Amino acid sequence: MTKQLTKYLLILLIPSLVCVSCKNVEEKENQKTVTSLKEAYKSDFYMGAAINESQIEEQDSLNTAIISNDFNSITAENIMKSMFVHPEKSVYNFNQTDKFLAFGEKYNMFIHGHTLVWHSQLWPWIAEIQDSTQMANTLEDHIKTIVSRYKGRIDSWDVVNEALNEDGTLRESVFLEVMGASYLPLSFKWAAVADPNTDLYYNDYNMTNPDKRNGAIKLIKNIQNQGVKIDGVGMQGHWHLDTPSIEEIEASIVAYSELGIKVAITELDINLLPRPENLQGAEVNQEFEESEAMNPYPDKLPDAIQNKLAERYKSIFELFLKHRDKISRVTFWGVEDGQSWLNDWPIDGRTNYPLLFDRNLKPKKAYDSILSLKAN
């Protein structure tokens, strides 16, 4: 082969070699390892976690590292509930809530406030009020004081939490008993006055059940029809390995979205333990007796159940991705298994495994199953 011919062939081959090289680099870029939940789902919705006092105060560096690496939204697990933030008529305690805000701002989080109006974990003196005007004034002061304090800093609020019975009727809370149903639109109105730019949500459990879903839709439409701002609905994801079905979850996401509001998946965890026969939703005041049968995995979760949990989370997140245009935020109710409220509810002393990180703060197969959906 002559030198001239060799030179000619090289001229023809070099562009092809360069293209192959570029393609290999591009493929490697596309296949790069996704290292966190928030990075994987950054173009879909916020990935959130409910955090407790020790996590807010950064008492454990590994906990802090997980929260800041994997999540870009936080919710206060307990400290913003009225019994803690408003313990006496004329006394507000913002010590922990200020720390919660500081944590979120330090790590550039979307900050969600939970919750302004709830029938449980109430400030203890509220039951003394029997006059509707006095109750309205008290509730207005409570809402406006808290929301105004964090105006422009809290991105969204659960204004009213769990106001419905399982059949979709209004729960007989102290607010309903004294003020009637007017407390619902008024609560949203007062929150909107205090901070017009924060998103306002109604939040509840069992929101996939048809009767309760219909009740929630009626509640939201009533607020909307009065010209009051309501931006979204929170579907608490206190679900199980077998229920609700993916079809039920999907039907609910679509139904709420059709109201013209955002849908947040809140308080997500998957209960792996047997359910007492008379258990009603996620009502926190229920208690049942201990038994070995109700605590089948006291020391370790079997691999078979780990795999089922991973598949359940994968199926759920496949659905969330399908409806990413409707979902604003997905928030897990805790970070690691040892923190979960399901260890003691509705039976004290049980060992549950509902979250993505185990008690040693190691990611579980469920974590990998969610991350794998966004690996490519």
Side-chain angles (χ1 to χ4, degrees), residues 215-234:
I217 290 171
K218 181 180 178 181
L219 183 158
I220 292 164
K221 282 184 174 179
N222 181 55
I223 294 171
Q224 292 175 324
N225 291 339
Q226 296 187 47
V228 176
K229 171 183 163 73
I230 178 168
D231 300 287
V233 61

Side-chain angles (χ1 to χ4, degrees), residues 244-345:
S245 69
I246 293 298
E247 292 75 19
E248 288 170 326
I249 298 170
E250 181 171 31
S252 300
I253 291 171
V254 172
Y256 295 127
S257 177
E258 288 175 348
L259 296 171
I261 59 176
K262 301 174 183 178
V263 178
I265 308 300
T266 64
E267 310 189 22
L268 180 58
D269 49 28
I270 304 297
N271 174 43
L272 302 180
L273 303 185
R275 287 165 279 176
E277 186 175 340
N278 298 321
L279 182 66
Q280 294 292 319
E283 172 57 51
V284 295
N285 295 319
Q286 297 173 96
E287 293 182 4
F288 295 85
E289 291 185 7
E290 296 180 47
S291 72
E292 288 187 15
M294 287 293 175
N295 190 30
Y297 317 120
D299 302 313
K300 182 183 178 183
L301 192 65
D303 288 343
I305 307 300
Q306 287 276 18
N307 293 335
K308 287 183 179 180
L309 178 65
E311 284 302 313
R312 176 63 163 163
Y313 267 121
K314 184 177 181 180
S315 297
I316 287 169
F317 269 80
E318 285 175 336
L319 177 66
F320 293 167
L321 286 172
K322 178 180 177 181
H323 293 286
R324 59 170 67 91
D325 60 318
K326 304 173 183 67
I327 295 173
S328 59
R329 174 173 44 91
V330 175
T331 296
F332 293 87
W333 203 239
V335 176
E336 51 88 13
D337 288 338
Q339 173 191 355
S340 175
W341 71 300
L342 289 172
N343 290 302
D344 296 304
W345 182 90

Side-chain angles (χ1 to χ4, degrees), residues 69-85:
N69 180 71
D70 276 291
F71 302 102
N72 52 13
S73 174
I74 53 169
T75 299
E77 188 176 27
N78 276 303
I79 60 164
M80 301 189 88
K81 294 168 183 174
S82 63
M83 67 180 290
F84 300 109
V85 77

Side-chain angles (χ1 to χ4, degrees), residues 62-129:
L62 183 52
N63 240 301
T64 301
I66 290 171
I67 295 167
S68 60
N69 180 71
D70 276 291
F71 302 102
N72 52 13
S73 174
I74 53 169
T75 299
E77 188 176 27
N78 276 303
I79 60 164
M80 301 189 88
K81 294 168 183 174
S82 63
M83 67 180 290
F84 300 109
V85 77
H86 195 179
E88 299 177 33
K89 289 182 181 180
S90 57
V91 175
Y92 286 89
N93 180 3
F94 293 116
N95 180 48
Q96 286 299 320
T97 52
D98 285 349
K99 291 180 181 179
F100 170 69
L101 265 289
F103 181 97
E105 291 169 344
K106 177 179 178 180
Y107 294 105
N108 195 30
M109 302 276 197
F110 180 97
I111 302 174
H112 181 72
H114 177 80
T115 175
L116 294 170
V117 182
W118 189 30
H119 68 276
S120 189
Q121 290 183 268
L122 279 168
W123 55 106
W125 46 271
I126 192 70
E128 301 170 8
I129 302 175

